[in-house]
Amino acid sequence: MALIYVVEDDKNIREIEVFALRNTGYEIKDFECAKEFYQEMEEKKPDIILLDIMLPDEDGLDIVRKLRAGIETKDIPIILVTAKTSEIDKVKGLDIGADDYMAKPFGVMELISRVKALLRRSNKNEEKILYIGKVCLDEEKHMVTSDGNPCELTYKEYELLKLLMNNAGIVTPRDMILEKIWGTDFEGESRTLDMHIKTLRQKLKEAGSMIKTVRNVGYMFTT
C-alpha cells in the first residue's frame, strides 16, 4: 500500500483529497502547513507527495527545491496542486522538479488517475515493459512493437509514446509534453508535436487510433 503525504492548508480541499485517496486504498497522512510536513518527513518518507503551492508558512515551490536538493528526498514523486492556472506557473513548477501538476478546482477521478499514473511511473520494482492493447514498449531493449510487429521510432517518437503510455487513461497536456520531451514551452514547437503525433500514429498502424486528441488540451493514450 502506497503512502501519500497530502500538504494542503485549505481544510475542505484537504479532506476531499484524503477521503478520495484513502477510499482508493492508499495510506494517507495530511498536513496543513510545511512545518508539520517536515517533522513527519524526518520520521518516514512517503511514496508520493501531493503539495499545495500556496501554504501559510512556506511557498510550495521552495519546498520542491529543498526536496530535490536532498539525497533522501530527491526522487520522491511530487504532484503540485495550485490555484494558479497560467502556463508560466505550471512550467515553473515542472522546471524546478515537480513531476506533475493539477489546477484547482479538479475532479476526484482526475486526482486518483494522476496519482496512479505517477506511482506507476516511479515504481522502481515494476517491469520495464509497458503493454497496452496491441502496443508493447520494452524500455530495456528500447523497442516498440504494434500487434507483434516492430516499429522503427525516432528518439523523440519513442519518448513521446512512453510518456503517453505511462499516463494511459488520462489526458497529458500539450505544455507538459513539450516540457518533458522537448524541454521547452515555446509555441513554435507546438507544430513539431503535432507532426510527431501524426507519424507515431502512422507507425503504430491500427493501434495508432489509441492516441486520442483532446482539443485545446493535449493527448491521451486510451486503455
Side-chain angles (χ1 to χ4, degrees):
M1 182 188 300
L3 172 62
I4 302 175
Y5 282 3
V6 175
V7 192
E8 168 65 64
D9 66 319
D10 187 309
K11 182 180 179 181
N12 292 330
I13 294 177
R14 188 171 71 250
E15 288 179 348
I16 292 172
E17 292 172 342
V18 170
F19 179 80
L21 294 170
R22 189 166 283 155
N23 278 1
T24 307
Y26 299 118
E27 180 183 354
I28 310 296
K29 290 189 177 181
D30 59 289
F31 316 92
E32 64 178 352
C33 64
K35 181 180 179 181
E36 295 177 353
F37 166 70
Y38 286 135
Q39 290 173 343
E40 190 62 31
M41 286 290 288
E42 291 294 325
E43 300 297 323
K44 189 174 184 179
K45 304 296 187 290
D47 296 297
I48 188 172
I49 298 169
L50 199 61
L51 177 64
D52 182 29
I53 286 184
M54 302 178 70
L55 296 172
D57 55 345
E58 186 172 359
D59 186 279
L61 296 180
D62 289 334
I63 295 177
V64 175
R65 291 188 185 96
K66 290 178 181 178
L67 293 174
R68 289 296 175 251
I71 295 176
E72 295 183 348
T73 59
K74 62 184 179 66
D75 294 323
I76 299 176
I78 301 171
I79 298 178
L80 285 177
V81 179
T82 174
K84 298 179 179 180
T85 57
S86 71
E87 188 173 27
I88 186 92
D89 289 320
K90 296 173 182 176
V91 171
K92 185 185 296 183
L94 294 172
D95 278 345
I96 64 173
D99 298 278
D100 200 355
Y101 61 81
M102 294 181 60
K104 301 176 184 177
F106 52 82
V108 169
M109 294 307 296
E110 180 187 2
L111 168 65
I112 294 171
S113 294
R114 289 191 177 276
V115 167
K116 285 182 176 179
L118 188 51
L119 283 171
R120 189 165 59 240
R121 296 203 304 267
S122 62
N123 186 357
K124 295 181 176 59
N125 296 319
E126 70 176 346
E127 292 184 11
K128 296 299 182 180
I129 298 178
L130 297 173
Y131 210 123
I132 303 176
K134 296 182 179 180
V135 180
C136 177
L137 186 149
D138 189 323
E139 291 191 50
E140 291 187 350
K141 296 180 180 179
H142 206 272
M143 183 176 69
V144 173
T145 59
S146 179
D147 200 16
N149 300 310
C151 296
E152 297 296 329
L153 304 183
T154 65
Y155 175 77
K156 293 292 187 185
E157 289 168 351
Y158 175 86
E159 291 297 316
L160 176 57
L161 178 61
K162 183 168 71 171
L163 177 63
L164 293 175
M165 290 182 71
N166 274 320
N167 288 281
I170 62 175
V171 179
T172 305
R174 294 178 65 90
D175 53 356
M176 179 181 292
I177 296 174
L178 290 170
E179 173 64 24
K180 295 286 188 180
I181 307 301
W182 278 271
T184 178
D185 65 323
F186 294 145
E187 187 61 32
E189 294 287 358
S190 185
R191 290 185 297 276
T192 300
L193 170 58
D194 295 335
M195 288 304 300
H196 275 73
I197 290 290
K198 181 179 179 180
T199 57
L200 185 55
R201 283 171 171 156
Q202 291 173 344
K203 290 181 178 181
L204 293 175
K205 299 189 184 312
E206 184 181 338
S209 62
M210 298 178 73
I211 301 176
K212 303 295 184 183
T213 301
V214 182
R215 188 176 297 275
N216 297 324
V217 181
Y219 295 96
M220 177 173 65
F221 198 95
T222 56
T223 56

